[in-house]
Amino acid sequence: MENTVIEPEHSESACKGTLRPIRDALDILNGKWKLPIIVALTFGEKRFSEIAKEVDGITDRMLSKELQDLVTNGLVQRTVEETFPVKVTYSLTPHSKSLNEVIEALRKWGLLHKSYLVNRDR
Amino acid sequence: MENTVIEPEHSESACKGTLRPIRDALDILNGKWKLPIIVALTFGEKRFSEIAKEVDGITDRMLSKELQDLVTNGLVQRTVEETFPVKVTYSLTPHSKSLNEVIEALRKWGLLHKSYLVNRDR
DNA sequence: CAGCATCCTGCCTGATACTG
DNA sequence: CAGTATCAGGCAGGATGCTG
């Protein structure tokens, strides 16, 4: 039988159990750009250059790399239309829609924290 | 609660407006450790070494640095008891409680994503 | 337009040792 | 116990230029 590694009564274990999924999530969403890219795509499918325009300060190199990561992790879909010139569009996958809650929570907290700082430093 | 109306004609502006608070939040919560530290503290105030034990893999140096950041940003409170040896405890500030929603959303998404990967790779 | 190659820099991070 | 000092490595991320 498997060792049951989880003892619910120990708060330390409870803490670590809570931590694991959070670390998992942070590992996928790590870095400065992934969430901003996803947010840009929540407004609809976009082309490479359109995303670059929306996400302030990102370079082509970073955008390229981050998009690859996102595709690999099933968060973004890449579609190539064989026109000329080739038209490549990126869009969110159904699975990435599940990030809405995370994004909304972050957005709200960003606003809250800003107003907190204003009040504190006044 | 009022619907923050999104003007259809300026979808680019709407996107960037949404992006700013998210970038703000990510700037505060950046790095590998800040959220895990905060989560560890949601289970109650803790001493330096206790946090180090809960947050897997963190070094003293990192913990020290990150705690300073968190104190600076008003998310963590540092309390010194002048006993001998000195006892230092860290706890969340009321303001950092507002991160609960973010943390919960991340945790849920971490679990969701893991099950997504399992299904996909099977 | 889409996106990769190259180069470069700073920061994140780790390991070890040390103080009050 | 609660950190800080120092040294060092690696990788994220920025700037620029080039290809199909």
Side-chain angles (χ1 to χ4, degrees):
Chain A
M1 275 304 117
E2 281 344 298
N3 40 335
T4 317
V5 198
I6 301 174
E7 291 110 37
E9 62 272 22
H10 293 53
S11 67
E12 292 185 17
S13 306
C15 171
K16 290 203 176 184
T18 307
L19 238 30
R20 201 182 340 102
I22 293 174
R23 293 290 294 272
D24 290 346
L26 291 178
D27 283 346
I28 305 293
L29 306 174
N30 63 5
K32 200 172 161 179
W33 302 113
K34 295 211 175 59
L35 256 346
I37 290 170
I38 289 174
V39 172
L41 289 175
T42 59
F43 289 81
E45 67 168 35
K46 290 197 165 56
R47 310 178 63 165
F48 189 91
S49 54
E50 290 173 324
I51 305 174
K53 202 167 18 171
E54 302 269 13
V55 181
D56 231 42
I58 196 169
T59 60
D60 286 354
R61 172 169 149 33
M62 276 298 117
L63 182 52
S64 173
K65 204 165 77 69
E66 299 292 68
L67 281 172
Q68 284 177 34
D69 278 8
L70 291 169
V71 170
T72 300
N73 284 311
L75 296 175
V76 164
Q77 177 168 20
R78 192 186 121 114
T79 310
V80 183
E81 293 176 35
E82 289 299 347
T83 55
F84 182 78
V86 174
K87 179 175 178 180
V88 182
T89 56
Y90 294 89
S91 56
L92 296 186
T93 62
H95 176 237
S96 73
K97 301 284 177 28
S98 64
L99 273 169
N100 268 343
E101 224 175 306
V102 173
I103 290 169
E104 185 54 16
L106 270 177
R107 197 184 62 76
K108 282 194 337 208
W109 189 83
L111 291 169
L112 189 68
H113 183 67
K114 179 161 261 176
S115 77
Y116 163 79
L117 287 181
V118 170
N119 290 329
R120 187 187 64 170
D121 300 339
R122 200 174 40 187
Chain B
M1 279 7 22
E2 299 341 305
N3 21 349
T4 314
V5 182
I6 300 170
E7 287 108 53
E9 64 271 24
H10 294 81
S11 67
E12 292 185 17
S13 307
C15 172
K16 291 203 175 184
T18 308
L19 238 30
R20 202 181 342 101
I22 293 175
R23 293 290 296 272
D24 291 345
L26 291 178
D27 284 344
I28 305 293
L29 305 174
N30 64 5
K32 200 172 163 181
W33 303 112
K34 295 211 176 60
L35 256 347
I37 290 171
I38 289 174
V39 172
L41 289 174
T42 60
F43 288 82
E45 66 167 36
K46 287 197 167 58
R47 309 178 63 167
F48 189 91
S49 55
E50 291 174 324
I51 305 174
K53 201 167 20 172
E54 301 269 13
V55 181
D56 231 41
I58 196 168
T59 61
D60 287 354
R61 175 173 163 0
M62 274 300 116
L63 182 52
S64 173
K65 202 167 77 71
E66 299 293 67
L67 282 171
Q68 283 176 35
D69 277 9
L70 292 170
V71 169
T72 299
N73 284 312
L75 295 175
V76 164
Q77 176 169 19
R78 192 185 122 115
T79 309
V80 183
E81 293 177 36
E82 289 298 348
T83 56
F84 181 77
V86 174
K87 180 175 179 181
V88 182
T89 56
Y90 294 89
S91 56
L92 297 185
T93 62
H95 176 237
S96 74
K97 301 283 178 27
S98 64
L99 273 169
N100 268 345
E101 223 175 305
V102 173
I103 291 170
E104 185 54 17
L106 270 176
R107 198 185 62 76
K108 281 190 346 205
W109 189 82
L111 292 169
L112 189 68
H113 183 69
K114 179 161 260 174
S115 78
Y116 163 79
L117 288 180
V118 169
N119 289 332
R120 186 187 65 170
D121 300 338
R122 199 174 41 188

